[in-house]
Amino acid sequence: MWFKKKKKEAEKFPTKDISLEEVRSAIHEYSKDLPPNIPLKILIKDDLSLDYTLLAPILKAIPAKKYYMSKETYDLFEDKDKHIAQALDQVQRAVDQYIAQKKELPIIDYDPYRKVSFFKLEQLNLIKERLEMDFYITDQEQLVTTIKPK
């Protein structure tokens, strides 16, 4: 019953072009009203696309483009960068498992940028293959990012 109501509410809104920044702002607005025990992950479908039915009341529309969000880091991406959201989730889970097992960060030794060491993750069988991009661990909650620190 609840799902049908949610779907009908979303049908009230027109489909239109909405920028990444507008979607990011709507997500921020939506998160302000979430109870503390409800994670932001409820906005993210299994394929990492956003559930627009939850954002439509804020956006006053349904985005024409698909946007994707990492379930682990909450980074937002356009359709063309969906693979980055998937990679972030994969690497973040591996990094979290490595930290839990080794009690240290899986970074390249002496790297001032805290670049993730795929070699260290492979040694514990936490990843199956090396990805084509670099990942770094931030100071903030040991989150993985593709942005090289300055």
Side-chain angles (χ1 to χ4, degrees):
M1 190 73 166
W2 178 74
F3 177 74
K4 286 182 181 179
K5 183 180 178 188
K6 189 168 78 166
K7 192 171 183 176
K8 278 188 177 174
E9 285 177 13
E11 289 171 0
K12 292 181 201 172
F13 297 101
T15 299
K16 69 179 197 177
D17 284 335
I18 296 176
S19 73
L20 183 72
E21 279 309 312
E22 289 172 300
V23 172
R24 187 173 282 126
S25 177
I27 291 168
H28 180 71
E29 191 67 31
Y30 183 82
S31 70
K32 286 187 204 175
D33 295 330
L34 273 179
N37 60 331
I38 306 289
L40 193 57
K41 288 180 187 177
I42 65 165
L43 281 177
I44 308 168
K45 296 180 183 179
D46 289 341
D47 69 349
L48 301 185
S49 65
L50 291 176
D51 185 348
Y52 293 144
T53 58
L54 299 172
L55 295 175
I58 297 167
L59 292 168
K60 306 290 186 239
I62 302 288
K65 292 192 274 185
K66 262 194 170 181
Y67 291 100
Y68 295 87
M69 185 179 258
S70 161
K71 286 185 177 185
E72 301 295 326
T73 65
Y74 297 131
D75 288 324
L76 187 64
F77 299 94
E78 293 181 342
D79 195 24
K80 66 181 174 59
D81 295 325
K82 175 185 178 182
H83 66 284
I84 299 174
Q86 293 166 327
L88 275 171
D89 280 357
Q90 179 184 351
V91 174
Q92 184 69 58
R93 282 190 293 271
V95 164
D96 291 345
Q97 289 173 345
Y98 186 94
I99 293 169
Q101 290 178 34
K102 292 283 198 171
K103 308 291 187 246
E104 65 183 32
L105 296 176
I107 57 175
I108 295 172
D109 294 337
Y110 309 108
D111 187 315
Y113 301 110
R114 297 167 48 127
K115 185 175 177 182
V116 173
S117 168
F118 286 116
F119 177 72
K120 289 181 179 183
L121 297 177
E122 286 170 334
Q123 285 184 313
L124 296 181
N125 293 318
L126 299 174
I127 58 169
K128 293 180 178 89
E129 61 184 325
R130 291 185 185 212
L131 299 164
E132 298 280 327
M133 59 186 92
D134 293 331
F135 295 89
Y136 305 90
I137 300 178
T138 65
D139 291 334
Q140 176 190 356
E141 299 179 15
Q142 295 159 341
L143 289 177
V144 174
T145 182
T146 57
I147 301 166
K148 186 175 183 176
K150 293 179 177 158

